[in-house]
Amino acid sequence: MVTRPLRRKLKKRKVKGIAYNEVLWGYLFLLPNIVGVFSFIFFPLVIALGLSFFKWDILTPSVFFGLKNYIKIFQDITFLKVFRNTIYYVAGTVPLGIFIALIFAVALNRASRLIKLYRAIYFLPVVCSMIAVAIVWQWIYNPEFGFLNFVLSFIGIKGPKWLSSTQWAMPALIIVSIWKGLGFNIVIFLAGLQGIPDVYYEAARIDGASAWNQFWRITLPLLSSTTFFITVISVISSFQIFDQVFIMTDGGPARSTSVIVHYLYQNAFLYFKMGYASAMGCILFAAILSVTLIQVWRAKTWVHYGI
Amino acid sequence: MRKEQIYMRTFVHIILAFGAITMIAPFIWMLSTSLKSLNEVFVFPPTLFGESLRWNNYLQISDRFPFSIFFLNSMKIAVLVTAGQLFTCSLGGYSFARLKFPGRDIIFLLYLATLMIPYFVIVIPIFIMMRSFGWVDTHYALIVPGLFSAFGTFLMKQFFLTIPRELEDAAKIDGCTPFGIYRRIFLPLSKPALAALGIFTFMWSWNDFLAPLIFLNTITKRTIPLGLAVMQGLYSTDWPSLMAASVLSVMPIIIVFLCAQEFFVKGITLSGLKA
Amino acid sequence: MKRPKRGIMFTVVLMIVLVCFVSTAIGKVTLNFQGWEASPLETESVRKGIALFESRNPDIKVEYIPTPWSEHHSKLLILYAGNAAPDVAFVAAEPFYREFVKRGVLLDITEQFYEELKLEDFIPIDRKKMVVNGKIYGISSCVVAGVLFSNTNLYDEAGLDYPPRNVNEAWKWDEFISAAEKLTLTDTSGKVTQYGSYGLEAWFGLHSGHPLIMSNGGRLFNDDYTKCLMDQPAAVEVVQKMADVKRIHKASPDAFILQNIGMNAAQMLETGRIATLFDGSWSLQLLATLDFPIQVGVLPMFKRPVSVGTAHVHSAFKTTKYPEEAWKFVKFLSSEEYQIDLIRAGLWMPNRLSLYTPQGMERWLNPEVYPEGYEGIAEYFRDYLELIPYCFIPQEVQDIIEEETQLIWTDEKQAVEPVMKRLVERVNAVLAEQ
């Protein structure tokens, strides 16, 4: 990697200060990584931004389109619909997913003996591919022969038609996503919980605080940075939901489960509208970026760092 | 007080057991369906097992779902991607964590920002690039862009920050170059982090669906998730076969997970804390 | 990491890479042939055909790549753009054949076609389908169209005549409704155990919306496909009547719009959950393997009997390195000897007029598959088919029509007219862009 003379030179320079050394090494170490990240992430992003100003079907030459793609997007009822669907999905998945994970993490934290076993079980769906999971759930959701409606019939509920109903298809997808991601959130919460020193709880107990009060006054505030982290990554990944839609509903029925990425995929690879799809992608990126920035900005008001 | 604790404990265990059943039931349903005949599947109320366990279902899908080919493809891609990321991310993470150079913090921020870029935004340009390299319908299209990762770099940086400075100070006084410090001190100390990153990268690469969906076509090049999706598209109501293929496809990663559980947990904890 | 471990890792990687490279074939000309398939039976048939071709042409090897229907065309597009297109592929007539032609993707085979084949030999809708601006880029190998399948056991139990097989006896819509109502049975608790009709809402196309609107004297699009006419009274009336099968007559189960939702239509017909099924003629192949007596009838009509037909074509791509071999294969895929097995199996209907003559029919009217009186259906195919309008409009329009009409099938309270109005508005906006 580094030739001998160069190394010697570097050694000599050491006397003058490590800083010089570090700059060179710093860049050198970063080089393989930065080349990759720039050529396969930043550069494509710039190209995508550029493409969004063109009309292009991938096969015939592109035509400069100015802002027309963006103007069209905001007049496209389908886009507005998929945008709403995406928001619905994010709003349905993130808070509920975090809430449930928190409950289980707190419970797990108390079940000291079986914690490893439970953790393994809860984590199982996380490691499986979304494709396999989606296929199984598709079968579970079968209105007539599926497992879910069978279970519901025990408690006297006539289950809905899930994936073939415009009202229930999206909740069905949300359930799958929460189910699949739960283990991931639980493990992060567990790590956060284990970082809270016992002294706090002991002090609270001496003061006669109830379990509920302890949770509310100690656990939750001290867990806020963990919660914040989970919220941020859940929002980012929920905005990009695709696999389960693609396998389970293909956006139907009546586009009730079509989300931005799904519509983007259709535009790019089915309708031959690469430019339009790129514009949509840029809007998605802008949406994710702004939501994340808002979260970071709002974080000051509720996240407590340090203990 | 004592009584209250017992109630509490029972309550906790009920919740946990309920959760565990919810988590595991779909897998049992998957396994049970994979061992039934098509007619036994369309029965209400559903049964756990059919008349006999049809292990034959697994043999019968071999021509529709050539598992060994898909397995080798997934393995090849995941192993190469993992090896590449371990190299580039540990170097990059070390650089961010320990070396001072102009623009470091800005570059790091940009790195973090890339985590927010949806894959689908950049997939069209990446496709154009792959096309110009002639890599469409080859594994290169999945491997080469996979060798680098902002997340991995971030994860390694987080870990390296926890290594005490004193260790390297001693080495510095001995005239060790940063590369020497990286190799002799940081790498040996960060085995758990490397293992965690390795396992995560492996899992993501193994389960990746979008990139194979777009770049791969030929049957002999398909990966497990793509092969499974294709099978689902072709035989959408042959539930026993689909479930058998699903079982086969999740099996390897579940085995890896059970063997290396600690590292998964470690990896998540690393990325989650101090974020 | 210690050294030996690294060595093992390296060897493993090396071995995996090696295995992957060794598997590539060597030697003769290999044609990559990409198709989709509706059922495992179809794959089997296609593979059989390929084997026959290979035995005739020992110097050509055909590599068959089945892809799911849902991804087939986007794959072709991506592969073509990526210079990795197959040599020959199925191309759906609606609408990808013309979309691909428009973008110059397919090999022009007009000359070879006229040298070796005759356009007049094909049935009328296939001529219309293949020829684009006087040129030919793909050859059909069959036709499929919407028909009415019925489980005759259920008709016998109800003492009803089977759906007519001859065009001149075709059911009027009201006759169909009255039969469907009589075939809808409830048990003592009021739960419906058997429905008279199913399949109208499965796809707004071949076996439902299109033929019925045409039959009612309506049209889906204007002549040059720049305007959608589905908000015209003739079309709205039909859609309303289709919705009423479930809404008023209660003769159809809740919309199982997603085809992947468990039982397929054939299984529902077999288990006696439905008595009559609107479906594509290709379903006969599967239905014939099931253990119950079926009958195939012509679609019910309003003003004139009509069904809508289509089917993929086989095309070679411009990028193929072996245009001659690819032509040979495309031609073989259209030949009588290739289609005849698939026709005999009930999957396809012939695209050559010669197979519709009494002698021709003898060659494929296989009594094990085709129910009695199928000659009437053959006549229907030859003389009463219209090409599906989706051949001439972009995929996006199809998706919009599907999306909007699904609102009608899934929500009983949804008024039809406003949906059709909005549908037309949206479709026209897309058509205006073209």
Side-chain angles (χ1 to χ4, degrees):
Chain A
M1 263 234 253
V2 178
T3 53
R4 209 162 269 283
L6 178 61
R7 186 175 289 179
R8 212 175 295 141
K9 213 165 119 199
L10 289 172
K11 260 188 188 166
K12 254 188 234 159
R13 287 278 191 144
K14 209 184 77 183
V15 197
K16 278 192 176 179
I18 290 167
Y20 172 78
N21 240 329
E22 282 195 6
V23 171
L24 194 90
W25 282 105
Y27 286 132
L28 200 63
F29 275 21
L30 212 49
L31 193 67
N33 203 312
I34 223 163
V35 165
V37 170
F38 268 82
S39 42
F40 294 111
I41 300 178
F42 281 112
F43 177 63
L45 185 68
V46 173
I47 299 282
L49 192 66
L51 262 181
S52 71
F53 299 110
F54 284 86
K55 180 183 175 159
W56 189 45
D57 68 1
I58 225 177
L59 300 172
T60 53
S62 55
V63 182
F64 185 70
F65 224 40
L67 282 172
K68 272 191 209 144
N69 282 328
Y70 288 96
I71 296 169
K72 258 176 59 194
I73 282 183
F74 288 104
Q75 295 166 344
D76 180 351
I77 356 180
T78 314
F79 182 77
L80 298 180
K81 193 168 188 176
V82 299
F83 194 83
R84 264 204 315 274
N85 288 343
T86 312
I87 301 291
Y88 179 12
Y89 174 82
V90 174
T93 313
V94 177
L96 205 58
I98 291 176
F99 177 70
I100 298 174
L102 183 60
I103 292 178
F104 280 113
V106 171
L108 258 182
N109 205 27
R110 287 171 175 257
S112 46
R113 236 174 300 158
L114 292 171
I115 188 166
K116 276 194 177 162
L117 175 70
Y118 276 130
R119 203 175 54 191
I121 291 175
Y122 287 129
F123 207 74
L124 214 50
V126 179
V127 300
C128 295
S129 80
M130 196 37 149
I131 307 306
V133 163
I135 292 176
V136 180
W137 275 89
Q138 200 182 19
W139 179 221
I140 289 173
Y141 280 135
N142 183 307
E144 307 236 357
F145 308 104
F147 187 68
L148 186 58
N149 279 358
F150 170 63
V151 172
L152 288 178
S153 71
F154 275 128
I155 42 175
I157 296 174
K158 188 180 177 293
K161 306 227 172 299
W162 297 112
L163 297 174
S164 50
S165 135
T166 44
Q167 275 124 32
W168 286 98
M170 189 56 101
L173 290 183
I174 290 173
I175 292 173
V176 175
S177 303
I178 292 177
W179 178 82
K180 182 156 193 311
L182 198 61
F184 188 84
N185 293 349
I186 288 178
V187 170
I188 302 185
F189 269 132
L190 265 181
L193 283 170
Q194 280 159 2
I196 301 175
D198 274 338
V199 229
Y200 286 83
Y201 293 107
E202 275 159 30
R205 239 171 275 145
I206 290 165
D207 290 349
S210 68
W212 175 249
N213 254 330
Q214 287 176 30
F215 174 77
W216 203 240
R217 294 278 161 78
I218 301 172
T219 315
L220 220 49
L222 291 183
L223 219 51
S224 58
S225 66
T226 313
T227 316
F228 171 67
F229 173 75
I230 297 181
T231 315
V232 170
I233 54 168
S234 307
V235 168
I236 292 175
S237 65
S238 300
F239 263 106
Q240 302 180 39
I241 173 205
F242 176 74
D243 294 7
Q244 49 271 64
V245 173
F246 187 75
I247 294 292
M248 294 171 73
T249 64
D250 201 21
R255 249 191 217 286
S256 58
T257 55
S258 184
V259 287
I260 297 180
V261 175
H262 178 255
Y263 189 48
L264 191 160
Y265 172 82
Q266 287 188 318
N267 268 286
F269 299 113
L270 220 52
Y271 305 159
F272 310 91
K273 292 179 176 176
M274 292 290 166
Y276 195 55
S278 294
M280 224 176 275
C282 292
I283 289 178
L284 177 63
F285 177 48
I288 295 178
L289 195 65
S290 44
V291 170
T292 309
L293 288 180
I294 289 173
Q295 288 181 77
V296 171
W297 172 61
R298 293 288 303 159
K300 285 181 202 126
T301 61
W302 64 279
V303 177
H304 306 251
Y305 283 101
I307 288 170
Chain B
M1 193 67 191
R2 198 90 199 106
K3 218 174 184 183
E4 203 176 276
Q5 263 180 352
I6 292 171
Y7 283 149
M8 194 68 186
R9 205 163 257 181
T10 334
F11 181 64
V12 161
H13 276 284
I14 288 174
I15 288 189
L16 288 176
F18 171 76
I21 291 169
T22 319
M23 286 293 133
I24 224 153
F27 291 99
I28 293 172
W29 182 238
M30 170 154 88
L31 189 66
S32 116
T33 308
S34 77
L35 296 171
K36 288 181 185 170
S37 74
L38 193 53
N39 287 331
E40 287 164 341
V41 156
F42 294 120
V43 165
F44 193 89
T47 52
L48 190 54
F49 294 108
E51 265 173 38
S52 60
L53 299 184
R54 294 171 166 257
W55 295 102
N56 226 353
N57 286 349
Y58 285 82
L59 297 177
Q60 274 167 359
I61 57 167
S62 63
D63 56 327
R64 284 179 267 165
F65 187 75
F67 178 73
S68 52
I69 296 175
F70 297 163
F71 178 85
L72 281 179
N73 289 339
S74 286
M75 193 57 121
K76 167 187 158 191
I77 293 167
V79 165
L80 289 177
V81 163
T82 306
Q85 280 204 20
L86 286 181
F87 175 70
T88 62
C89 294
S90 62
L91 271 181
Y94 174 71
S95 177
F96 279 130
R98 277 300 194 266
L99 302 173
K100 277 206 196 87
F101 50 89
R104 182 182 79 170
D105 294 338
I106 291 179
I107 297 177
F108 186 67
L109 256 172
L110 280 175
Y111 261 60
L112 281 186
T114 63
L115 298 177
M116 276 174 271
I117 300 177
Y119 182 69
F120 255 111
V121 177
I122 52 175
V123 74
I124 299 169
I126 291 184
F127 175 76
I128 301 170
M129 289 166 78
M130 293 303 145
R131 175 172 79 160
S132 61
F133 302 153
W135 285 354
V136 173
D137 201 21
T138 70
H139 288 160
Y140 293 117
L142 307 184
I143 296 169
V144 176
L147 297 175
F148 320 95
S149 136
F151 174 80
T153 314
F154 169 71
L155 191 118
M156 290 314 293
K157 181 203 163 192
Q158 294 300 100
F159 184 82
F160 288 149
L161 283 177
T162 63
I163 293 178
R165 282 216 177 249
E166 295 78 46
L167 284 174
E168 55 185 304
D169 285 343
K172 264 185 208 160
I173 292 163
D174 289 350
C176 227
T177 60
F179 183 73
I181 296 174
Y182 161 77
R183 233 200 67 178
R184 301 224 184 87
I185 299 175
F186 276 73
L187 276 194
L189 281 177
S190 55
K191 268 185 208 156
L194 285 171
L197 174 63
I199 278 171
F200 259 85
T201 311
F202 185 85
M203 179 181 93
W204 279 326
S205 170
W206 185 271
N207 288 338
D208 186 22
F209 173 60
L210 284 181
L213 173 72
I214 289 178
F215 292 110
L216 298 183
N217 188 50
T218 319
I219 299 175
T220 50
K221 286 178 190 147
R222 288 175 187 166
T223 60
I224 288 184
L226 180 65
L228 187 60
V230 165
M231 181 158 164
Q232 189 254 5
L234 293 177
Y235 311 98
S236 55
T237 59
D238 186 355
W239 295 106
S241 303
L242 271 178
M243 291 302 137
S246 300
V247 170
L248 284 180
S249 76
V250 297
M251 217 41 122
I253 198 80
I254 287 184
I255 291 172
V256 169
F257 164 64
L258 292 179
C259 297
Q261 218 202 110
E262 283 308 309
F263 293 117
F264 273 94
V265 175
K266 187 106 194 165
I268 291 187
T269 321
L270 263 184
S271 60
L273 292 180
K274 296 185 199 157
Chain C
M1 242 179 233
K2 275 176 248 151
R3 240 162 223 297
K5 264 195 197 160
R6 207 183 303 169
I8 291 168
M9 187 107 128
F10 185 72
T11 329
V12 169
V13 172
L14 203 69
M15 268 166 59
I16 291 167
V17 175
L18 270 178
V19 167
C20 297
F21 283 124
V22 169
S23 56
T24 48
I26 24 162
K28 44 191 177 181
V29 170
T30 304
L31 290 178
N32 283 318
F33 173 43
Q34 187 147 339
W36 73 80
E37 44 198 2
S39 67
L41 292 167
E42 188 170 354
T43 320
E44 217 173 278
S45 312
V46 173
R47 283 189 201 280
K48 243 191 261 167
I50 290 172
L52 181 66
F53 177 77
E54 284 177 335
S55 69
R56 298 274 166 76
N57 301 279
D59 53 330
I60 306 177
K61 192 181 170 306
V62 176
E63 186 76 49
Y64 183 49
I65 308 167
T67 321
W69 156 255
S70 54
E71 286 146 49
H72 181 77
H73 295 94
S74 50
K75 272 267 137 83
L76 288 181
L77 165 76
I78 292 171
L79 291 168
Y80 184 85
N83 219 353
D87 300 282
V88 177
F90 285 41
V91 179
E94 69 296 337
F96 293 99
Y97 177 51
R98 278 173 173 74
E99 294 276 315
F100 283 170
V101 168
K102 195 159 87 189
R103 291 174 172 82
V105 170
L106 304 178
L107 191 69
D108 182 352
I109 48 175
T110 319
E111 248 171 63
Q112 294 100 311
F113 183 90
Y114 284 114
E115 249 166 55
E116 300 175 37
L117 299 167
K118 277 205 200 89
L119 195 58
E120 305 81 65
D121 289 347
F122 288 80
I123 60 169
I125 80 155
D126 269 33
R127 294 178 218 162
K128 229 190 269 173
K129 182 171 76 188
M130 293 187 292
V131 181
V132 187
N133 299 329
K135 299 218 164 177
I136 293 173
Y137 303 86
I139 317 183
S140 90
S141 56
C142 67
V143 63
V144 292
V147 291
L148 209 54
F149 293 100
S150 49
N151 181 337
T152 57
N153 281 344
L154 309 180
Y155 275 77
D156 290 341
E157 281 163 27
L160 290 170
D161 288 338
Y162 308 152
R165 287 154 267 186
N166 289 312
V167 179
N168 39 23
E169 294 161 13
W171 268 342
K172 293 279 190 177
W173 184 257
D174 297 337
E175 293 174 89
F176 156 70
I177 292 292
S178 108
E181 278 181 334
K182 282 180 198 140
L183 286 160
T184 301
L185 308 177
T186 43
D187 63 11
T188 44
S189 67
K191 197 181 160 210
V192 180
T193 52
Q194 175 186 315
Y195 286 99
S197 159
Y198 176 71
L200 273 173
E201 62 273 73
W203 174 38
F204 195 90
L206 202 70
H207 44 73
S208 60
H210 293 214
L212 295 176
I213 289 175
M214 289 176 187
S215 171
N216 199 25
R219 302 174 63 187
L220 286 105
F221 301 95
N222 64 354
D223 278 335
D224 51 3
Y225 295 89
T226 51
K227 287 257 160 3
C228 178
L229 303 175
M230 289 173 68
D231 57 349
Q232 305 291 309
V236 175
E237 186 194 350
V238 167
V239 176
Q240 181 70 54
K241 287 198 161 155
M242 285 165 67
D244 287 346
V245 176
K246 186 176 128 206
R247 293 183 184 182
I248 296 178
H249 312 291
K250 312 277 179 214
S252 177
D254 264 335
F256 274 54
I257 281 160
L258 301 163
Q259 269 120 36
N260 311 344
I261 202 88
M263 262 197 190
N264 57 36
Q267 289 158 339
M268 290 173 50
L269 197 62
E270 181 191 20
T271 51
R273 296 174 54 84
I274 54 174
T276 322
L277 169 69
F278 287 81
D279 205 353
S281 52
W282 62 81
S283 291
L284 187 61
Q285 183 188 33
L286 175 63
L287 289 169
T289 61
L290 304 178
D291 195 23
F292 70 98
I294 49 163
Q295 189 50 261
V296 183
V298 298
L299 296 179
M301 59 171 241
F302 290 93
K303 292 179 180 147
R304 66 178 174 112
V306 55
S307 189
V308 161
T310 183
H312 63 279
V313 297
H314 295 112
S315 294
F317 283 83
K318 241 184 206 164
T319 43
T320 179
K321 284 190 210 104
Y322 316 106
E324 267 170 47
E325 286 84 356
W327 158 253
K328 240 189 209 172
F329 186 51
V330 168
K331 186 183 153 200
F332 168 81
L333 292 173
S334 165
S335 66
E336 274 184 30
E337 73 180 332
Y338 173 66
Q339 13 178 332
I340 202 89
D341 276 344
L342 289 133
I343 298 170
R344 284 179 61 83
L347 185 71
W348 294 352
M349 285 291 283
N351 67 358
R352 298 293 159 80
L353 285 171
S354 60
L355 288 173
Y356 284 94
T357 61
Q359 303 95 304
M361 278 199 262
E362 259 169 47
R363 295 182 51 199
W364 57 266
L365 258 183
N366 169 10
E368 278 167 34
V369 170
Y370 289 95
E372 213 190 304
Y374 203 82
E375 291 86 352
I377 304 293
E379 190 195 328
Y380 189 51
F381 270 71
R382 193 190 56 204
D383 299 334
Y384 292 89
L385 286 196
E386 300 260 2
L387 185 57
I388 192 164
Y390 284 164
C391 287
F392 305 94
I393 45 124
Q395 176 67 33
E396 199 178 350
V397 170
Q398 243 190 87
D399 287 350
I400 292 174
I401 294 178
E402 197 68 6
E403 175 194 336
E404 291 289 351
T405 50
Q406 277 182 4
L407 289 173
I408 299 172
W409 318 139
T410 49
D411 180 5
E412 298 216 354
K413 288 178 198 85
Q414 178 67 56
V416 171
E417 197 156 1
V419 172
M420 302 310 279
K421 281 246 153 64
R422 188 175 55 217
L423 180 159
V424 165
E425 215 170 276
R426 292 178 62 190
V427 167
N428 283 346
V430 175
L431 291 176
E433 266 173 43
Q434 297 297 305

